Structure formats: structure tokens, C-alpha cells
Amino acid sequence: MVGGDARAVPPYSKMAVGSGGSGRRRRGALRMLMRVGSVLLTRFPFWHCLSSLLLNAERAEARRKPDIPVPFLYFDMGAAVLCASFMSFGVKRRWFALGAALQLAVSTYAAYIGGYVHYGDWLKVRMYSRTIAIIGGLLILASGAGEIYRQKPRNRSLQSTGQVFIGIYLICMAYSLQHSKEDRLAYLSGIPGGEIALQLLFVLYGVLALSFLSGYYITSAAQILSVILPLVVLFIDGNLGYWHDSRRVEFWNQMKLIGQNIGIFGAAIILATDG
């Protein structure tokens, strides 16, 4: 063979080079999405504190008390900001994610037993189910998921517990579509297809809940959830005229609920890319 032909790259080598380049691009895209999910979840406590402060200011104008007593409220917010700051800078992220989950659980329990503010049952389901899912997302973060350069093995027990919490949230979503008039009307007015689309969404929530609770097909379920949640935030939660004007949900309470769904979206991205 002549020299030029001898140096020619075989066709399969060109295919290998091309597939290697596409693989690197795919890994780069997954890392970028993982970072986005981590940013949304680790910054959630900042939004939680801001929306809680503005919600309390909104209630003060109406001469209503906050969910928890004021001295404990300041301590609670200080702990949330501390955990969020260390998580954001990547300092002992696992420990501070666990601390943020514990802080949110304690403050939610204190608000529940305090009895200062009374909510309708349908609103309680919306509020507490999302809080449970956020706690689950923080436990997933504490397990080591979402770390680009993982130095220690992932804690599968924490991740499984977090996935179960998100599964409980999805069960509550499916329940609300069947038994909450307020949620049904919000979905019927926000999505095309009417009752048929509503029932299909109910089945989808149920299937996703089974996946998260059982631990099977987590990556696929998280990918589907990460597609659904932005649409829910935009067309359902974002319908402020319906929730605030028609259903009398306090404006900043609804904004807090939107922030919670965005945080859950971040957890879903982490599981979809690093499940």
C-alpha cells in the first residue's frame, strides 16, 4: 500500500472518535444539569426565609399571628440561612443539608402544633406535602447525590428515605386531584383536555409515586417529574389570580409554595442525572 493509504484512519476509528466526543458532551450536559439542580435545592432555604418574612409582614397588616412564636421564628430563620450558606459554598454540604432538613422538620412541627393559623384541609395537604418533599430533597443531597467530584461513598439509606418522602408528596398530589375541589378546578382551568387529562395526570402521579416509594426506575421517574414540575409551577401554581383572589391563599404563602415546588424540581434534576 502507498504511504498515504497506510496512514488513513479506518472508518471504525472515526466512529469511535465521534462517539467519544458525543459521550463527553453528554456527560458535560449532565453535569451542568446536576449543578442547576443543586443550586435550586441549596438556595431554597434563602427563599423560604424571605417568603416567610414577607408572609408575616402581610399577616401583621391584617393583625394575624405568624405560624410560630416570634423568638423561635428568628432562631429558625437564622439556622436556615446558616445551613443554606454553607451548602451554597460547598462546605460540609452533606452535614448542612442534613441540618437544613432537620431545621425544616422542627419548624413545620412547631407550626403544626402551635395552632396560631388555621388552614383548610386542602391547603394543609398542599403545604405539608411539599414540605415533606423538600425535606426528602435535602436528605438526597445529604446522601452525596449531586456531587460532581464525590470523595466519599454515597449514603444509600439517606437517598432511599428522601425518595420515599418525594413519593409521599406525589401520593398527596394524586389524592388532591381526586378529592380537592380547589386543586381540581386549578388543573381543569390550567391544562387542556379537561377531565380526561386530569385523570391521566392522576394515573401518572400514582405511577411516579410507586416508583419513588419502591426505588425502582428512579432515574426515569425523576426525569419525567423534572418535565412535569416546571409546567405545574407555570400553569397551576403561577395562576395567582385563582389562588389569591378566588381561594384566598395569602400571596406570600402561595409564593412560598411555588418556591417549594422549584426546590423539589431541583431534587428531581439531581436524581434524574445522578440517581
Side-chain angles (χ1 to χ4, degrees):
M1 296 176 67
V2 297
D5 294 335
R7 290 192 298 269
V9 180
Y12 60 82
S13 297
K14 295 180 180 179
M15 292 173 61
V17 171
S19 62
S22 62
R24 285 193 295 270
R25 287 193 295 271
R26 183 177 182 274
R27 287 193 296 271
L30 289 177
R31 285 182 178 180
M32 185 187 68
L33 288 173
M34 195 189 307
R35 283 175 176 168
V36 171
S38 298
V39 166
L40 292 177
L41 190 54
T42 54
R43 271 63 168 184
F44 165 77
F46 290 126
W47 177 253
H48 175 75
C49 292
L50 176 63
S51 57
S52 296
L53 283 173
L54 294 172
L55 174 61
N56 291 330
E58 184 179 356
R59 287 177 177 171
E61 293 179 356
R63 299 185 180 277
R64 299 177 62 190
K65 294 182 178 180
D67 287 339
I68 54 180
V70 172
F72 181 76
L73 179 65
Y74 293 145
F75 174 79
D76 173 66
M77 291 187 178
V81 170
L82 179 68
C83 291
S85 299
F86 279 96
M87 285 193 297
S88 300
F89 288 112
V91 179
K92 298 290 184 182
R93 175 175 286 186
R94 297 191 186 191
W95 285 105
F96 282 101
L98 194 60
L102 180 63
Q103 171 267 325
L104 189 56
V106 171
S107 64
T108 303
Y109 179 73
Y112 178 76
I113 65 174
Y116 288 102
V117 181
H118 300 284
Y119 302 103
D121 291 338
W122 63 272
L123 187 54
K124 286 181 181 178
V125 172
R126 286 173 60 83
M127 293 171 58
Y128 294 139
S129 65
R130 297 185 191 202
T131 301
I132 290 173
I134 285 291
I135 293 173
L138 292 170
L139 291 179
I140 291 170
L141 200 64
S143 73
E147 294 178 355
I148 296 177
Y149 304 105
R150 189 175 295 117
Q151 298 177 347
K152 293 189 296 184
R154 189 186 320 205
N155 189 320
R156 293 290 179 180
S157 298
L158 280 177
Q159 180 175 334
S160 298
T161 304
Q163 290 168 183
V164 168
F165 282 10
I166 295 179
I168 294 172
Y169 156 77
L170 290 168
I171 288 177
C172 293
M173 294 278 284
Y175 172 85
S176 297
L177 289 182
Q178 294 295 318
H179 300 282
S180 170
K181 178 183 68 175
E182 292 80 5
D183 285 89
R184 286 177 58 85
L185 289 176
Y187 276 86
L188 288 173
S189 61
I191 60 174
E195 188 67 28
I196 296 176
L198 191 68
Q199 295 305 319
L200 290 175
L201 197 57
F202 164 75
V203 173
L204 181 58
Y205 280 144
V207 172
L208 293 178
L210 288 176
S211 177
F212 276 93
L213 291 172
S214 65
Y216 290 103
Y217 305 106
I218 285 296
T219 301
S220 299
Q223 289 171 350
I224 296 172
L225 185 60
S226 62
V227 172
I228 295 175
L229 280 178
L231 301 177
V232 172
V233 170
L234 185 61
F235 296 107
I236 308 302
D237 293 342
N239 190 356
L240 297 177
Y242 173 79
W243 295 111
H244 182 58
D245 298 334
S246 301
R247 297 303 167 188
R248 302 301 179 187
V249 178
E250 294 155 309
F251 177 82
W252 282 106
N253 195 12
Q254 182 61 23
M255 296 303 293
K256 182 192 291 188
L257 292 173
I258 291 176
Q260 286 176 330
N261 252 359
I262 293 175
I264 299 166
F265 171 58
I269 292 178
I270 291 174
L271 287 176
T273 54
D274 192 30

